[in-house]
Each structure stands twice: as structure tokens, then as C-alpha cells.
Amino acid sequence: ALSCSHAEYCVTNLRVLIRSGVLRKTETQLAVADIREVRVVRSAIQQSLGIGDIEVIGSSGKLRLAGVEDPDQVRERILTVL
């Protein structure tokens, strides 16, 4: 089976949004007001490449932003809008 994916992450003062898909597009969002925790998760390989995943945990669910460059800086940016 052929698999192709693309994801775009957007952080505004109202929400964190993930748009993904090439052939089938999906959009998942979490309101900033619902965010309870923001974590950076990295494997050893991700750490050596300077990337990581960001978990945004809210009262209504969880989003995972995968393969983010400089994830610590992005985490801090998300925390500034809370």
C-alpha cells in the first residue's frame, strides 16, 4: 500500500491546529483555554537530529505534533499564548 502524509501545525492565541493528509485531509484542533500541559518527547535519534514531538494535553483531548524542529523553542512559544 502506498502511504503519503503531510502535516501542518498552527498555533494561534485561540487554538492549536493540526492539518494533515494529502489525498484525504483532516483537521484536529485544541482550544488554548483547554490546554493543561505541553510536553516535549524525543527519542535518542530525534535528539541527535534536533527534532522531537510535542504533546499538547488538554481537558478535551491530546494533540501530538510530530517531528518538530527545535521542539523546546516551539513548546515555549505555545506556553506564551496560554
Side-chain angles (χ1 to χ4, degrees):
L2 178 63
S3 177
C4 185
S5 69
H6 167 77
E8 177 182 335
Y9 307 126
C10 182
V11 179
T12 72
N13 61 336
L14 298 176
R15 61 190 176 159
V16 177
L17 175 71
I18 299 175
R19 291 186 186 119
S20 60
V22 173
L23 299 176
R24 181 173 177 236
K25 304 222 182 232
T26 60
E27 186 174 288
T28 308
Q29 62 182 317
L30 185 62
V32 167
D34 292 339
I35 295 174
R36 302 291 176 248
E37 187 177 354
V38 182
R39 296 185 210 159
V40 174
V41 180
R42 282 181 267 222
S43 68
I45 293 171
Q46 285 179 315
Q47 190 164 352
S48 68
L49 295 172
I51 63 173
D53 298 346
I54 299 173
E55 291 181 344
V56 182
I57 301 157
S59 57
S60 61
K62 176 169 78 170
L63 296 179
R64 186 174 192 102
L65 288 64
V68 176
E69 289 182 30
D70 199 359
D72 293 316
Q73 182 181 7
V74 174
R75 177 185 178 273
E76 291 304 314
R77 285 186 181 174
I78 293 171
L79 291 174
T80 61
V81 299
L82 297 181

